[in-house]
Amino acid sequence: MLCISVKEFLSWKKKQLSKGGDQQSFAVLLDCIGGVSNNDLNLKIINPKENLHLKKNLEFLEAIWNDHLINSCPIQYLCGITFWRDLKLKVTNKVLIPRPETELIVDIVFNIFRSKSENLIFAELGTGSGAISIALSLAYPLCEGLATDIDQDALEIATENYVNSSKQSNLKFYCGNWWTPLERFKGKLDLVISNPPYIPRDTYEKLPKEVKNFEPKVALLGGEDGLRHIRQIIKQAPLFLKEKGWLILENHFDQSEKVKQILIKNKFTSIEIVKDLSGIGRFTIGRYK
Ligand SMILES: C[S@@+](CC[C@H](N)C(=O)[O-])C[C@H]1O[C@@H](n2cnc3c(N)ncnc32)[C@H](O)[C@@H]1O
């Protein structure tokens, strides 16, 4: 534990940020490794005469920050942690870092299923760190959640995140290709959510190096046009959804219209494109008949 004056700390912080990087990544470093949250810091800034207590010394924090700046490694991987909605999740390079825009999926579900005592059965295809499924299973304590992924390493992280976030036991994890692990839930699902890999190949090749060199390719690449997995998920969804069951998909910024057409072709109704906070049609949702 290091005790340092707020003034000295702020001058060190300014020096670090002057080297590059953004405030948000620096806040993750301070919170996860330094043990000082944004709230703690804001309170201290109001009372600058006080001291600040850090879990690690400034040299240690600076070494991680330099690593982030020099190698473009996402700070979340270096710290092993990310914040998503109100969850603190473990992340390694085996899982995609859950993105802020994906947080809205949970709100879309809240709008559809308004009572938190719903007895619904939901599945999430491609759970990664478990973020969406954990948030939903916490919000709907009576639901039965099924979270799948093709990557066993990702599922181990998701399971660890679930155990660390919840005392409940209403979320189970299954390994396999999209619908394959869910055979015994055919016709039983009220809701299916997926944020599948949807980046088209040529876009993938040009991704910034902090994404392409560190995040799992299996979590990003959606085939030539980006829609390979989305097509596969939609095509089989009618076998697994209950009548009037909901499918909620996240897609790339320019894919919503195409996803809508695939849903129509597969007899979905009540189709809606939901915009993210930047006004991008980021989610396409529909009901099976
Ligand atoms: C874009 S990431 C989404 C992760 C997480 N749900 C989120 O929103 O942060 C896509 C996930 O789908 C998984 N995935 C890729 N191909 C798959 C497949 N054929 N079957 C099941 N899961 C797959 C990846 O391992 C990855 O965890």
Side-chain angles (χ1 to χ4, degrees), residues 43-216:
L43 284 176
K44 293 287 179 184
I45 291 170
I46 297 169
N47 303 302
K49 289 204 181 105
E50 285 189 19
N51 283 336
L52 194 67
H53 299 273
L54 289 165
K55 275 205 237 155
K56 297 281 179 191
N57 63 35
L58 298 184
E59 290 72 28
F60 188 88
L61 295 170
E62 186 165 348
I64 299 178
W65 189 243
N66 288 342
D67 192 1
H68 165 64
L69 296 180
I70 294 164
N71 300 313
S72 304
C73 181
I75 196 77
Q76 293 88 340
Y77 287 151
L78 290 170
C79 297
I81 281 170
T82 196
F83 296 97
W84 192 85
R85 290 187 73 97
D86 54 353
L87 298 170
K88 189 172 180 179
L89 301 167
K90 172 177 170 174
V91 285
T92 71
N93 62 0
K94 297 291 178 194
V95 295
L96 186 96
I97 299 164
R99 303 294 200 265
E101 59 269 25
T102 304
E103 295 184 359
L104 274 182
I105 282 197
V106 178
D107 297 303
I108 295 173
V109 177
F110 289 174
N111 271 330
I112 297 174
F113 297 96
R114 289 180 179 265
S115 160
K116 293 295 173 352
S117 51
E118 291 265 8
N119 242 325
L120 53 102
I121 307 185
F122 80 83
E124 187 202 357
L125 307 186
T127 195
S129 63
I132 299 169
S133 288
I134 294 170
L136 290 178
S137 62
L138 287 171
Y140 296 92
L142 303 182
C143 77
E144 183 180 353
L146 319 162
T148 78
D149 206 285
I150 199 154
D151 184 19
Q152 184 59 37
D153 290 337
L155 284 176
E156 275 161 30
I157 290 164
T159 307
E160 199 177 323
N161 281 329
Y162 178 55
V163 171
N164 290 339
S165 315
S166 170
K167 290 190 169 57
Q168 296 167 201
S169 55
N170 58 340
L171 179 62
K172 304 265 178 325
F173 296 90
Y174 299 88
C175 192
N177 186 27
W178 298 131
W179 298 100
T180 318
L182 300 179
E183 275 296 308
R184 69 191 171 89
F185 296 97
K186 271 187 170 162
K188 293 192 177 149
L189 305 178
D190 298 283
L191 164 70
V192 174
I193 314 110
S194 186
N195 171 20
Y198 52 65
I199 310 282
R201 186 175 301 280
D202 56 348
T203 310
Y204 176 79
E205 297 305 334
K206 292 179 219 142
L207 283 175
K209 59 181 174 199
E210 57 268 29
V211 178
K212 188 160 181 247
N213 292 355
F214 296 95
E215 302 208 71

